[in-house]
Amino acid sequence: MHEILTARVIATHGRHLVLADASGRELAARPFGRDLTVVCGDEVQYRIDAHHDEAHVLAVGPRHATLWRTNIRGGAEPVAANLTRLLVVLAPLPVPDLFVVDRYLAAATSVDLPATVVLNKADLDIPRQLHEQLDAYVAAQYGRVLCSADSGAGIDDLAALLPAGARACLVGQSGVGKSSLVKCLLPTAAVGIGALVREEEGRHTTTAARLFPLPTGAGLIDSPGVRDFAPALAALDERTLGFPEVARLAGACRFADCRHMREPDCAVRAAVDGGSLAPRRYESYRRLRRLREDLEPRRRGRH
């Protein structure tokens, strides 16, 4: 009988994994079975397959504060597990897709995961409209950090969010400088995932997620850049879809099941008309509502 051991998943690249055991030793691994989904931050049970010189992950431990996304079938897929904070990174360039930012924030809110909006490349010219959108996130009671991986400005503010025991995940569009921020916080980090993770189907290591231990005792996951993102539908509150502003206003709507779209006496739409709720944030809510309705039949069809 092979001994069953425990470890933390510190890198994922397709079905190739890297584990770190209690001593810090790193092991190449694969999930044992096609139905087992493993993500960065998971605690897993594994055994050594000496014949193939790798570890086989047999089971995933209980997850908490997990970032979930929706797949094309409307089902939920984990992105990173056992988090204490989500860091949603954007920059003046590439032009930010704030609807993607909103959806990451909604995903975090849906699992009570604190989230902070991080504007990297803050030494570049920041359009007035972007400043206004950042103010809207503060009004929604999300944290905000302005920093620059190039100049080092604001990096101390980012580091202050990562005390001992914290585990945060950097997410956002490609090109916003997530890996550069890792290098600022951990200058000795090799931001690739190294030889333990093998190339698969011609893909590059930039598609990998990696958990880095910081000197503070925190952990920081650098995740692949995205073009789009949708939070897991089943995790979203039916009335608010993870928008804190909507949650604060929904109790004043005429109908308890108000969707905040076209219903009469809707406090959310009244706040938009009155200027106390940012119109773009409301439009983002509307888009996510329509996406949820479009994908719901696919999700139900899977059951």
Side-chain angles (χ1 to χ4, degrees), residues 98-110:
L98 296 173
F99 296 107
V100 170
V101 173
D102 292 340
R103 291 179 181 188
Y104 273 120
L105 295 174
T109 299
S110 71

Side-chain angles (χ1 to χ4, degrees), residues 137-294:
Y137 291 127
V138 174
Q141 300 184 356
Y142 290 111
R144 172 181 60 182
V145 170
L146 275 63
C147 60
S148 170
D150 286 340
S151 71
I155 296 299
D156 287 345
D157 295 330
L158 183 60
L161 299 174
L162 302 167
R167 183 175 296 118
C169 183
L170 293 164
V171 297
Q173 294 170 256
S174 299
V176 296
K178 297 186 298 297
S179 296
S180 297
L181 292 174
V182 173
K183 291 289 286 184
C184 283
L185 294 165
L186 187 62
T188 60
V191 184
I193 63 171
L196 280 175
V197 170
R198 306 176 180 105
E199 289 294 328
E200 180 179 20
E201 297 175 1
R203 293 182 294 179
H204 300 291
T205 54
T206 51
T207 63
R210 175 81 194 220
L211 172 61
F212 294 96
L214 300 183
T216 61
L220 184 60
I221 296 175
D222 183 22
S223 70
V226 301
R227 295 180 181 176
D228 200 2
F229 176 84
L233 302 179
L236 296 177
D237 179 81
E238 171 63 26
R239 294 189 68 197
T240 69
L241 302 187
F243 281 70
E245 314 97 308
V246 176
R248 290 194 291 270
L249 293 163
C253 292
R254 177 179 175 184
F255 299 107
D257 60 350
C258 184
R259 295 163 58 254
H260 321 300
M261 299 289 277
R262 292 178 294 275
E263 295 83 356
D265 299 326
C266 172
V268 174
R269 290 193 293 114
V272 177
D273 294 340
S276 60
L277 176 56
R280 196 207 60 77
R281 282 281 288 170
Y282 176 62
E283 174 59 23
S284 187
Y285 166 86
R286 285 171 53 87
R287 292 188 185 190
L288 185 55
R289 171 69 68 185
R290 290 193 292 265
L291 177 67
R292 188 178 191 276
E293 292 173 352
D294 289 344

